[in-house]
């Protein structure tokens, strides 16, 4: 069917998700010699293939009639018990099963939250920058996004408060604050304990729900975790999202939501029309895996591997990038990403072109900014490349940075990808640029 003819049948949100003119970059990216620092992918050598090869036949023989069947929308009761135990070990004791919903990983949790809480023109407050998949899910429901800047302690809660007052004066009452408190995607920073308390106090004052999205919490390499927002929640306004994607493997497509029972009930109803239930095979496999006690040793292996990669990445950046260029980057204590800030006059898209010519890919930062800012920023992933690739890629990136710094191009002269938006709809055009660049941006 002709694409133009198809337009008349498309929904509003599908119509706004148009493709960008980045075919040239795409051609470059498909070359095997390109080292990708773009995705948020786990390192495949950490997948517990041997353990699963033993476990899977047992799951089929002993639990096949459940694992291959439809299951309850809420999730497998045995898995929920394991998740309750897991949450108790992380400061959330005594959860009842009515507070847990098993989902097809966190992206579905975000979609369900968007469906349940957001009507067109509702406002969500999020970080500048924030996770692309969440911005996309909220925007698909017609929500407006209001951004709040971050610093090394995470969300600037003082600015958040100011912003909420301003919005209130303008007659806008946001419903949700979306936060990734642990090793934020994309910035790599962690919300400090003090700011977690501040955030919850502000949510109470302005009557907001808080969505805590925490895929990386168990991947800490330095220091200690502050308490989760779920553990600090006293009035049932926190909806916490967790996933096995980064702790076990993303192909499982399995995660869970912890929330007040009334919220879980609404999410269950929404999930029924999305996928009826999460894959029973994934759930039974995860349940039995957790019961073997293999998850903690696996997490220890992951932390050991990523700690070395993180250190190698930071060391390579310090070695390769000329301090005189004024480039800065975050030093994440966990997770999978570093955030790089180029001097304000340098454009990360220009750097991407240069960098792809050197066979290194990354995701430009403006895609993560709901207000179109962050032109001079980029996200770098350190979990997926090998140590050799990290050394090579950072050396090439440093060369690309030096060459762009030498160009003295005025960023305002570069062709715009899209007009900037201020607290408006997140442009799916921008999202598709990033998606097309790295296939799946997680
Ligand atoms: C902050 C955040 N939320 C949600 C997701 C989605 O993860 P999944 O659907 O694999 O659980 C990701 C993936 O990287 C993420 O970084």
């Amino acid at each position: 069917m002709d694409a133009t003819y198809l337009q008349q049948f498309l929904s509003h949100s599908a119509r706004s998700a148009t493709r960008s003119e980045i075919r040239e970059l795409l051609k470059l990216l498909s070359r095997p010699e390109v080292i990708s620092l773009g995705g948020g992918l786990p390192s495949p050598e950490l997948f517990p293939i041997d353990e699963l090869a033993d476990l899977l036949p047992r799951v089929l023989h002993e639990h096949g009639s459940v694992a291959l069947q439809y299951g309850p929308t809420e999730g497998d009761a045995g898995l929920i018990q394991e998740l309750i135990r897991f949450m108790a070990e992380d400061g959330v004791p005594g959860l009842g099963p009515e507070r847990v919903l098993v989902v097809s990983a966190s992206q579905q949790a975000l979609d369900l939250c968007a469906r349940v809480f957001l009507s067109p023109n509702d406002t969500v407050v999020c970080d500048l920058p924030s996770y692309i998949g969440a911005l996309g899910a909220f925007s698909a429901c017609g929500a407006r996004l209001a951004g709040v800047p971050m610093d090394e302690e995470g969300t600037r809660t003082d600015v958040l408060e100011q912003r909420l007052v301003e919005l209130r004066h303008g007659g806008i009452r946001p419903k949700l604050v979306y936060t990734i408190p642990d090793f934020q995607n994309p910035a790599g920073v962690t919300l400090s304990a003090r700011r977690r308390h501040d955030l919850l106090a502000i949510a109470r004052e302005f009557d907001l729900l808080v969505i805590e999205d925490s895929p990386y919490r168990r991947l800490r390499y330095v220091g200690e975790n502050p308490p989760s927002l779920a553990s600090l929640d006293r009035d049932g306004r926190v909806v916490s999202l967790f996933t096995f994607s980064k702790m076990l493997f993303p192909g499982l497509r399995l995660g869970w939501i912890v929330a007040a029972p009334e919220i879980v009930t609404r999410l269950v109803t929404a999930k029924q029309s999305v996928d009826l239930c999460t894959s029973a095979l994934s759930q039974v496999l995860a349940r039995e895996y957790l019961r073997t006690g293999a998850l903690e040793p696996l997490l220890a292996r992951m932390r050991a591997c990523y700690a070395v990669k993180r250190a190698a990445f930071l060391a390579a950046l310090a070695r390769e990038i000329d301090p005189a260029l004024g480039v800065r980057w975050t030093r994440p204590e966990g997770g999978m990403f570093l955030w790089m800030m180029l001097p304000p006059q340098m454009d990360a898209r220009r750097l991407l072109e240069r960098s792809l010519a050197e066979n290194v890919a990354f995701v430009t930062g403006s895609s993560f900014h709901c207000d179109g800012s962050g032109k001079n920023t980029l996200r770098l992933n350190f979990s997926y490349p090998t140590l050799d690739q990290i050394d090579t890629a950072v050396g090439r990136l440093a060369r690309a940075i030096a060459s762009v710094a030498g160009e003295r191009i005025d960023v305002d002269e570069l062709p715009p990808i899209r007009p900037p938006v201020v607290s408006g709809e997140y442009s799916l055009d921008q999202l598709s640029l990033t998606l097309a660049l790295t296939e799946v941006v997680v």
Side-chain angles (χ1 to χ4, degrees):
M1 185 189 276
D2 175 56
T4 318
Y5 179 70
L6 177 64
Q7 284 283 328
Q8 62 184 310
F9 299 105
L10 296 180
S11 68
H12 172 74
S13 71
R15 228 175 291 148
S16 57
T18 53
R19 290 259 151 198
S20 305
E21 327 81 50
I22 46 146
R23 313 268 171 244
E24 294 313 308
L25 293 185
L26 264 181
K27 270 186 233 152
L28 286 171
L29 200 68
S30 56
R31 295 194 320 240
E33 60 273 27
V34 172
I35 301 174
S36 178
L37 308 176
L41 276 55
S43 188
E45 82 258 17
L46 290 165
F47 294 153
I49 293 173
D50 292 340
E51 285 168 337
L52 294 173
D54 286 343
L55 187 59
L56 196 51
R58 183 163 75 71
V59 161
L60 290 172
H61 286 124
E62 293 176 16
H63 308 284
S65 62
V66 173
L68 302 186
Q69 190 56 279
Y70 289 109
T73 306
E74 290 82 353
D76 175 83
L79 173 64
I80 290 176
Q81 285 311 318
E82 293 302 316
L83 299 175
I84 287 172
R85 232 190 307 281
F86 186 88
M87 293 304 299
E89 283 163 14
D90 191 19
V92 190
L95 273 184
E98 71 288 352
R99 291 197 49 201
V100 182
L101 170 61
V102 174
V103 287
S104 307
S106 281
Q107 192 60 42
Q108 181 179 67
L110 289 165
D111 180 58
L112 295 178
C113 287
R115 285 165 191 263
V116 165
F117 298 123
L118 298 176
S119 304
N121 297 323
D122 279 345
T123 299
V124 179
V125 183
C126 57
D127 290 324
L128 285 172
S130 189
Y131 171 57
I132 284 182
L135 303 183
F138 301 149
S139 293
C141 286
R144 295 181 162 267
L145 303 167
V148 172
M150 308 173 79
D151 62 14
E152 59 286 353
E153 273 191 72
T155 312
R156 289 272 310 272
T157 41
D158 55 336
V159 180
L160 169 66
E161 196 165 5
Q162 265 169 29
R163 199 76 215 278
L164 289 167
V165 170
E166 283 160 21
L167 288 168
R168 192 186 260 174
H169 284 151
I172 296 171
R173 189 184 154 266
K175 278 186 170 170
L176 306 177
V177 181
Y178 170 69
T179 177
I180 307 152
D182 305 297
F183 326 118
Q184 202 245 20
N185 179 4
V189 295
T190 295
L191 191 64
S192 67
R194 184 173 61 105
R195 295 250 179 107
R196 289 174 194 235
H197 288 282
D198 291 349
L199 180 67
L200 290 180
I202 292 169
R204 235 171 275 129
E205 186 188 338
F206 288 86
D207 211 5
L208 298 159
L209 293 181
V210 178
I211 302 200
E212 169 184 43
D213 185 7
S214 189
Y216 308 98
R217 186 165 169 80
R218 299 300 305 276
L219 298 177
R220 173 175 280 278
Y221 322 125
V222 184
E224 307 243 315
N225 274 344
S228 65
L229 294 173
S231 74
L232 298 175
D233 184 24
R234 295 289 167 266
D235 48 0
R237 64 177 68 246
V238 177
V239 179
S240 298
L241 321 181
F242 301 99
T243 176
F244 284 114
S245 288
K246 315 295 164 135
M247 288 194 280
L248 196 42
F249 61 100
L252 198 58
R253 307 311 300 136
L254 189 64
W256 69 102
I257 301 177
V258 174
E262 304 72 30
I263 294 179
V264 168
T265 305
R266 294 287 178 170
L267 293 166
V268 168
T269 308
K271 184 170 163 62
Q272 274 162 357
S273 63
V274 173
D275 67 352
L276 304 177
C277 61
T278 294
S279 155
L281 182 57
S282 286
Q283 293 188 67
V284 176
L285 187 61
R287 181 190 79 198
E288 295 304 312
Y289 189 81
L290 292 175
R291 284 180 180 166
T292 65
L295 185 63
E296 287 306 325
L298 174 64
L299 283 168
R301 291 200 296 281
M302 286 185 171
R303 285 190 289 263
C305 169
Y306 294 151
V308 171
K309 290 189 177 189
R310 167 194 174 272
F313 211 115
L314 288 170
L317 287 170
R319 190 176 61 237
E320 300 286 345
I321 296 188
D322 179 357
L325 294 176
V327 176
R328 293 177 299 130
W329 52 88
T330 54
R331 298 181 66 84
E333 296 179 335
M336 298 186 165
F337 307 107
L338 291 153
W339 185 245
M340 181 173 273
M341 289 143 285
L342 304 170
Q345 77 281 3
M346 229 197 254
D347 189 298
R349 279 178 298 142
R350 179 76 190 129
L351 177 62
L352 181 60
E353 279 171 32
R354 282 281 159 163
S355 174
L356 283 171
E358 297 265 0
N359 291 329
V360 174
F362 57 79
V363 188
T364 53
S366 59
S367 338
F368 299 93
H369 288 73
C370 66
D371 64 356
S373 62
K375 277 184 181 174
N376 62 325
T377 59
L378 51 139
R379 188 188 76 174
L380 300 169
N381 166 263
F382 61 83
S383 58
Y384 185 72
T386 62
L387 286 171
D388 280 350
Q389 286 176 326
I390 287 173
D391 258 2
T392 310
V394 174
R396 292 177 185 172
L397 182 66
R399 262 206 309 276
I401 291 173
S403 114
V404 175
E407 283 174 355
R408 307 230 167 275
I409 282 188
D410 181 350
V411 286
D412 294 331
E413 283 172 12
L414 290 170
I417 290 180
R418 66 183 179 98
V421 285
V422 179
S423 186
E425 257 179 53
Y426 180 68
S427 162
L428 289 174
D429 191 39
Q430 182 73 9
L431 177 63
S432 67
L433 163 80
T434 318
L435 289 178
L437 265 177
T438 53
E439 296 280 300
V440 183
V441 175
V442 286

